[in-house]
Amino acid sequence: MEPVYQCCYTNATRNEGNRTFSGWQVVAASPGIPSDAYDACVKLQNANAALCADAVDEQGNVLVLDEYSGDGSYLYVIRTRFGLSDRLGRPNMFSHALIFPLKNNVGVLRDPNYFLALDAAAFLGGEGQLPWEGTPPCTPFLSLEQAMTLAGLDQERWATLLRCVYAQTEAKGVSPLYIQYEGSALRIRGLLHCIYAGLPRYLVKKLRIAACPTANDSGKHLVFSRNARGRERYFIPQSGENTVLTPRMESKLSRMGYVDYAVCHVPFEKIPDFFGDLELLAVSLGDSSASSPQILKLAFQFNTHAGVSDFTNAELEGNLVDALRLPVSDNQWVGMLLTRMLGEMNRRGQRLAPESETLLDGWLAHTSSQELLEAGRDYQNQKHP
């Protein structure tokens, strides 16, 4: 496991020599914290400074806000306590962030317990307390079965939730997706666990979530709320009711295949391996971040079939066209998959649509793969005897 870094932020006063400095500042940070993580974390924490004057939860209580924010390189788990006062009696907050590096940190990507099972003692409540050292204190880890029970989800509604989350991350310029809950921290933990455990890793790395509505909701993908149904975009765990999954979106997600496949068809203990294999194959196909829907769809097809002979005619043509739409390159994995699929098309006597044949011509004109060239010539000879 990579080290977990800490950063504490508040409106504080410090003395240097004969001078006194007051203002929003970092009052404690881990030695060796990477500069990019530090800068990004401070920006996230400072965004909540404007909430100090009226920071209450949905029941009117002083707000303690939990946030989960990924930027692709780090996952920031931030607890911000409001209702404090600075030395002049003005409203203040204290924000304590735990920062989990994601590069080469497979454990965090495989098991959300590492950042969801944090004990309350992992977060400081104000200045003057000493941050812990080593690994953060945690509560017992949850299994997926336990998380589903806490979340109040069955398998069908879990899959619906994941489709809603995926649709939300794909949408641009929309309000957050509000997820209904009944005010229980354990319910939120169960829902978060089911979300993080059921998504491709690139989404785990970029989700932005808040455990309570605030005036800063606009930058979040998901927000938990007691009054979700009153929002434009919502999901109700108890029923699966939502305002996100239109027939058009459902059709798109169905074609992609991988969005809810794992939770519906893969044994729970093998779900982390499913997403790990999907990521590895996507990277092999030239997608270094394993985040291209087109490549992930192709990787999913090959990850869930024994070989090209297992494809239906429609799947074979669709997968071949998806691969032909990739930028022409010397990627050996792409060349191999194109060769196998084109060979299977030849064996079955299937033909591509004219626009897809144009894509094939582009590959054949630039590829250095002799196997692909030979399969292409066989295809063209069958078409023009």
Side-chain angles (χ1 to χ4, degrees):
M1 290 289 295
E2 294 291 312
V4 179
Y5 300 103
Q6 301 179 70
C7 184
C8 297
Y9 187 84
T10 188
N11 194 330
T13 299
R14 58 187 173 87
N15 296 310
E16 290 186 5
N18 296 323
R19 301 181 64 186
T20 299
F21 298 88
S22 296
W24 295 104
Q25 59 190 282
V26 173
V27 293
S30 298
I33 182 173
S35 59
D36 56 342
Y38 179 92
D39 292 342
C41 187
V42 170
K43 185 176 181 180
L44 289 169
Q45 292 174 299
N46 185 63
N48 287 327
L51 302 178
C52 285
D54 188 28
V56 295
D57 63 20
E58 291 179 292
Q59 294 179 296
N61 300 316
V62 173
L63 178 62
V64 178
L65 178 64
D66 288 335
E67 298 172 286
Y68 304 82
S69 295
D71 65 4
S73 299
Y74 303 93
L75 176 64
Y76 307 87
V77 181
I78 304 174
R79 177 164 293 174
T80 303
R81 300 178 186 275
F82 296 91
L84 306 178
S85 299
D86 68 9
R87 70 185 184 91
L88 299 177
R90 295 172 300 191
N92 198 5
M93 65 162 198
F94 185 87
S95 181
H96 187 180
L98 308 188
I99 306 169
F100 295 80
L102 297 177
K103 185 177 181 180
N104 303 321
N105 205 6
V106 176
V108 169
L109 296 173
R110 287 180 61 90
D111 188 351
N113 277 299
Y114 283 105
F115 56 89
L116 295 179
L118 295 167
D119 191 270
F123 298 95
L124 304 185
E127 283 190 90
Q129 302 178 29
L130 296 176
W132 43 264
E133 296 181 1
T135 57
C138 288
T139 59
F141 282 15
L142 295 178
S143 67
L144 268 175
E145 291 86 352
Q146 291 170 324
M148 286 180 67
T149 299
L150 287 175
L153 295 173
D154 59 19
Q155 208 160 16
E156 180 180 352
R157 283 180 278 117
W158 184 14
T160 302
L161 171 59
L162 293 175
R163 293 197 301 275
C164 287
V165 173
Y166 189 93
Q168 182 68 24
T169 62
E170 290 293 297
K172 306 297 182 183
V174 299
S175 61
L177 172 63
Y178 289 85
I179 300 177
Q180 180 71 33
Y181 83 112
E182 292 67 46
S184 163
L186 283 176
R187 176 62 58 88
I188 288 182
R189 180 180 170 186
L191 286 163
L192 284 171
H193 193 113
C194 289
I195 289 168
Y196 277 112
L199 290 174
R201 290 180 178 177
Y202 84 94
L203 288 179
V204 172
K205 295 178 181 180
K206 79 171 190 177
L207 278 180
R208 299 186 302 275
I209 304 173
C212 182
T214 71
N216 287 344
D217 286 355
S218 61
K220 307 295 191 302
H221 292 114
L222 312 176
V223 177
F224 290 92
S225 173
R226 292 171 175 268
N227 306 301
R229 190 178 271 107
R231 304 286 185 163
E232 176 186 1
R233 299 170 71 83
Y234 67 80
F235 173 83
I236 310 298
Q238 292 80 3
S239 63
E241 177 190 348
N242 67 87
T243 58
V244 177
L245 297 178
T246 62
R248 181 178 180 182
M249 177 57 68
E250 287 277 30
S251 177
K252 175 183 177 180
L253 297 177
S254 178
R255 291 194 303 272
M256 294 170 70
Y258 62 85
V259 174
D260 60 2
Y261 178 87
V263 303
C264 295
H265 301 287
V266 177
F268 284 178
E269 68 276 8
K270 294 185 177 180
I271 287 178
D273 293 328
F274 170 83
F275 287 119
D277 292 343
L278 190 68
E279 181 180 55
L280 285 174
L281 186 49
V283 170
S284 297
L285 294 173
D287 180 13
S288 60
S289 62
S291 61
S292 163
Q294 182 183 3
I295 290 183
L296 283 169
K297 176 179 179 290
L298 193 60
F300 166 76
Q301 287 290 319
F302 279 90
N303 198 34
T304 53
H305 290 78
V308 295
S309 60
D310 277 1
F311 293 148
T312 65
N313 286 353
E315 288 173 336
L316 178 60
E317 181 178 359
N319 292 332
L320 177 55
V321 171
D322 282 341
L324 289 172
R325 286 175 176 158
L326 297 176
V328 177
S329 69
D330 285 326
N331 183 291
Q332 294 182 347
W333 276 89
V334 177
M336 178 187 68
L337 296 184
L338 285 171
T339 300
R340 291 180 178 177
M341 288 189 287
L342 195 55
E344 184 67 14
M345 290 280 288
N346 292 336
R347 188 184 71 80
R348 299 184 189 184
Q350 282 186 247
R351 314 312 310 169
L352 291 167
E355 59 270 21
S356 299
E357 290 187 341
T358 301
L359 295 173
L360 174 60
D361 292 340
W363 271 90
L364 297 178
H366 296 92
T367 185
S368 60
S369 168
Q370 293 302 311
E371 292 82 3
L372 179 55
L373 286 170
E374 182 176 342
R377 284 194 294 267
D378 289 344
Y379 176 87
Q380 291 168 339
N381 290 336
Q382 287 190 41
K383 181 182 177 184
H384 304 291

